Amino acid sequence: MIEKSPRSRREVRFSGHPISPGIGIGPVFEAAEPVLTVPHRKIFAADIAAENARLDDAVSMSRKQLGKLKTQLAHLPEQSQAELSPLIDAYLQMLGNSRLMRRAKIQISDRLLAAETAMMEEAEALAAEIMAMPGADHAGRSRRADEVREIARRVVRNLTRLSFRSFTGHAPGSILAAETLRPSDAALIQPSHFAGVITEEGGADGHTAVMLRALGIPAVLGATGVLEAVKPGAIAIIDGETGEIVLNPTARSLSAARARLAARARTQRTLARLQLRPAETTDKVPISLQANLELPFELPMIAQSGAHGIGLMRSEFIFMNREILPDEDAQAEIYRTIVEAMDGDPVTIRVLDWGSDKDVEALNPYMPDTGEANPALGLRGIRLLLRNPELLETQLAAILRAAAAGPVRIMLPMVGFQSELLAAWDIYDRVWRRLKRRNLRLPDHRPPMGIMIETPAAALAARHLAKHADFFSIGTNDLTMYTLAADRGLPMGSKLYDPLEPTILRLILETAAAAAAAKIPVSLCGELASRPEAVPLLIGLGIRELSMHGNAIPRVKHAIRNVSLKQCTDMATAALNAVTADEVRKIIRGM
Ligand code: PEP
Ligand code: MG
């Protein structure tokens, strides 16, 4: 919070997490949450069957409501549907024969708890268990815990007939203000009815944030103190890009915000026109732009982004949020769907990169108990796969089968030593020969296998590794972390973790030069690829292929189309001579 003046009419400014870009201007509509209190109630043993039946009714009503919500999604933009539908599916799954439901029923019969008490207690216990799981993915665990609480609340509301939250009765174009918003609340929001969303609580990583981004509503979450200061109906301006909220704006602030709104609309129009234009510099050097895929629901968005293929498919998602690992057939089906959806454009599938902050519960039995104090510097990525070759073999077999449907490349994560790459080739050879013997439908030629360059060791040994890799892809997220010895989870803008440090640029140059000398393709798929201001510099360092979040492609393309190769190489030469990241920033801004 920058300044606070409780419920006055004076202009006051707040700041929160910028969630979904865009400027929203409108009257504030405060949506309060109906209170849900569940007393601890017991039943008689004779009522167990009746209580179970009550629970079953409430569950089936919840299923119906969610089913209806799913049909309502049809009115939302395609991208939003693709984001929301898997979440509703996850809720529906929890209403089936899930751990939560099984345990709630045991509480009813064994402890003689009323259905709503059993439901709430079990949800809390399960949420606490999820939060206590090992691993650094705190945000992921907290999301899953919230989902469990959320579905329990829905069932309890249906058991107790308490009302749900409603987002009606507001003036069109209002700014929705709430203490907190749950994903299911966000699913009820009609994007055309609201100019923006602000909340007191909520972070940048939660499902609510993902959904608001998908709905395309400007949003700022976690603006502490804003509700205390706002009067319903008062005008607010929110900037979803900077995270700033202005309450009771002066005429001057209003006209500045309107000017930014118009400028943004113009930029959006220009970017939309770029979709079918080539990504090339002003002197016609083509740059290949591909998309990173983390979850299958991103596929439609990637299709609309103008990406030419998938440069990094993080296969971790296939293994997350499930109790049983997907077998070869199940994996092959998922990869095939993605390859087919890309319709002839290449798909680079990275084999499982788990360990460290990428905590995958179902893989815990495969994690050797080495008591590592610092998993980021221990068993992770290829190191774990080589310890569990059966996992790698299954995944490679599934990918090879999917490769019959279109061009595929296989990528190994976290390579640091040549011996790891050679060991992976032995396994790959073996799997290929075995599949040939099984007479399965396979591609005519064995798909290329390349490596991520995301450790300083790999970047510095790129010349040697290039002899054994079919391609390189530079992962600047980890490369920055390991080179600078600074956690990638540090807050944005941290001085310690900065991929624009000249040391990182030198490693990118080294890798690009090694790939060029060995005549193998090299791309860059870390977050740096999605930063339009950094892209000319990357081109100057020798990168011609970039892979990024699909949403970033139009802006990156715009940056490429406004720069010449000479400008890019001049910028790179200057940046390589810089001593600090701030100097590099000045150089790239000076363009
Ligand atoms: C990277 O490290 O830059 C990368 C792309 O891999 P991930 O972010 O999945 O670790
Ligand atoms: Mg990485």
Side-chain angles (χ1 to χ4, degrees):
M1 187 181 81
I2 295 167
E3 190 193 329
K4 184 169 149 188
S5 162
R7 303 206 177 232
S8 78
R9 286 283 177 189
R10 221 159 38 83
E11 175 173 300
V12 272
R13 288 167 187 262
F14 290 83
S15 66
H17 301 294
I19 298 296
S20 171
I23 311 284
I25 307 173
V28 173
F29 168 73
E30 210 176 313
E33 158 121 74
V35 184
L36 179 68
T37 40
V38 181
H40 187 90
R41 199 164 66 78
K42 294 240 171 242
I43 56 166
F44 294 111
D47 294 333
I48 292 175
E51 204 59 16
N52 273 323
R54 260 186 85 224
L55 181 59
D56 288 343
D57 283 351
V59 167
S60 89
M61 190 179 294
S62 304
R63 294 183 75 88
K64 270 194 208 126
Q65 289 159 348
L66 287 169
K68 198 165 151 214
L69 202 60
K70 215 169 160 184
T71 56
Q72 285 169 0
L73 292 184
H75 305 297
L76 295 179
E78 214 175 305
Q79 183 189 339
S80 315
Q81 293 179 33
E83 294 232 8
L84 299 186
S85 159
L87 184 66
I88 295 180
D89 287 342
Y91 286 149
L92 285 169
Q93 213 174 359
M94 271 191 272
L95 288 172
N97 182 23
S98 66
R99 209 157 15 138
L100 175 65
M101 294 302 156
R102 285 196 305 269
R103 280 170 36 171
K105 289 210 159 171
I106 294 173
Q107 294 285 14
I108 294 174
S109 54
D110 290 8
R111 288 182 58 214
L112 299 179
L113 292 183
E116 51 271 39
T117 315
M119 212 46 217
M120 284 316 253
E121 286 197 3
E122 261 321 310
E124 272 316 313
L126 197 53
E129 276 171 34
I130 292 171
M131 292 311 294
M133 279 173 185
D137 182 16
H138 184 268
R141 287 201 305 275
S142 133
R143 251 195 324 261
R144 287 187 51 215
D146 281 348
E147 283 170 11
V148 170
R149 291 194 183 101
E150 174 60 21
I151 201 64
R153 269 193 294 258
R154 177 172 290 274
V155 174
V156 169
R157 284 199 185 283
N158 285 323
L159 277 163
T160 53
R161 314 261 164 210
L162 282 166
S163 62
F164 286 84
R165 201 162 189 175
S166 125
F167 297 116
T168 50
H170 58 276
S174 295
I175 305 274
L176 173 65
E179 180 106 3
T180 178
L181 272 186
R182 288 191 300 274
S184 56
D185 297 327
L188 293 172
I189 295 174
Q190 288 287 341
S192 56
H193 291 189
F194 289 101
V197 173
I198 53 180
T199 67
E200 284 253 343
E201 288 168 20
D205 280 335
H207 277 309
T208 303
V210 169
M211 288 166 62
L212 291 170
R213 269 194 287 270
L215 293 170
I217 309 178
V220 175
L221 302 189
T224 315
V226 74
L227 280 193
E228 242 178 275
V230 76
K231 257 200 174 107
I235 297 296
I237 300 170
I238 73 166
D239 186 333
E241 209 145 11
T242 62
E244 186 175 65
I245 300 171
V246 185
L247 298 182
N248 312 316
T250 60
R252 205 155 149 219
S253 300
L254 262 179
S255 78
R258 289 200 183 106
R260 274 184 296 154
L261 192 64
R264 192 178 146 80
R266 278 195 301 276
T267 313
Q268 296 294 99
R269 271 205 306 276
T270 314
L271 292 177
R273 279 199 291 268
L274 278 182
Q275 201 203 352
L276 297 174
R277 316 290 299 271
E280 56 185 22
T281 58
T282 50
D283 44 353
K284 305 275 179 246
V285 178
I287 307 295
S288 156
L289 300 185
Q290 298 194 315
N292 290 355
L293 178 110
E294 282 193 294
L295 294 166
F297 66 67
E298 290 170 298
L299 270 175
M301 195 262 295
I302 288 175
Q304 286 165 22
S305 71
H308 290 288
I310 293 175
L312 166 64
M313 183 194 136
R314 292 180 162 101
S315 65
E316 293 82 74
F317 75 82
I318 295 174
F319 300 85
M320 286 176 174
N321 295 324
R322 45 163 84 225
E323 284 170 20
I324 298 169
L325 290 180
D327 61 10
E328 185 185 307
D329 288 348
Q331 285 192 49
E333 192 55 40
I334 299 172
Y335 304 136
R336 194 175 302 119
T337 310
I338 294 168
V339 174
E340 279 171 359
M342 292 315 290
D343 206 14
D345 280 340
V347 178
T348 301
I349 303 177
R350 183 176 71 186
V351 291
L352 186 57
D353 179 19
W354 111 95
S356 186
D357 63 332
K358 291 178 185 166
D359 173 32
V360 182
E361 194 189 340
L363 288 167
N364 282 349
Y366 294 87
M367 178 73 81
D369 187 12
T370 53
E372 289 174 335
N374 191 344
L377 298 178
L379 291 176
R380 214 202 125 168
I382 190 71
R383 300 175 184 179
L384 269 176
L385 286 178
L386 292 176
R387 286 239 182 168
N388 295 283
E390 69 282 14
L391 285 178
L392 182 57
E393 283 177 21
T394 307
Q395 192 173 16
L396 288 174
I399 297 173
L400 285 173
R401 286 168 56 188
V408 162
R409 305 194 307 173
I410 293 170
M411 184 149 73
L412 307 175
M414 290 300 300
V415 171
F417 304 91
Q418 178 175 290
S419 56
E420 293 165 340
L421 177 53
L422 297 180
W425 272 115
D426 282 346
I427 295 175
Y428 190 28
D429 284 341
R430 198 160 65 230
V431 172
W432 175 253
R433 281 199 306 271
R434 201 184 68 219
L435 288 197
K436 285 238 159 203
R437 282 200 299 275
R438 274 166 68 194
N439 262 340
L440 291 166
R441 215 184 129 225
L442 293 173
D444 295 337
H445 302 288
R446 191 171 67 173
M449 185 163 82
I451 58 172
M452 294 280 299
I453 300 284
E454 51 185 347
T455 62
L460 293 169
R463 270 160 214 281
H464 305 302
L465 295 173
K467 294 188 190 120
H468 306 284
D470 291 330
F471 63 91
F472 286 159
S473 188
I474 305 175
T476 44
N477 306 340
D478 280 313
L479 187 60
T480 306
M481 170 164 95
Y482 290 119
T483 307
L484 304 179
D487 198 320
R488 60 192 274 185
L490 285 169
M492 237 166 93
S494 155
K495 284 271 173 213
L496 288 177
Y497 179 90
D498 193 335
L500 287 179
E501 275 294 330
T503 43
I504 311 298
L505 306 184
R506 273 174 226 140
L507 293 175
I508 295 174
L509 178 75
E510 178 81 24
T511 308
K519 298 196 172 46
I520 61 168
V522 56
S523 87
L524 191 145
C525 64
E527 290 302 299
L528 194 58
S530 66
R531 287 170 52 179
E533 80 283 10
V535 162
L537 174 57
L538 299 177
I539 296 173
L541 292 170
I543 301 294
R544 299 289 179 273
E545 293 176 25
L546 297 161
S547 188
M548 68 205 78
H549 189 271
N551 277 337
I553 288 182
R555 278 172 198 284
V556 166
K557 195 187 276 186
H558 183 70
I560 294 170
R561 291 176 59 85
N562 281 291
V563 78
S564 70
L565 183 61
K566 167 93 171 60
Q567 285 171 306
C568 296
T569 43
D570 286 352
M571 194 191 280
T573 309
L576 287 165
N577 284 318
V579 181
T580 67
D582 282 339
E583 277 174 54
V584 173
R585 252 183 293 282
K586 274 201 199 110
I587 291 164
I588 62 183
R589 268 195 230 115
M591 273 292 298

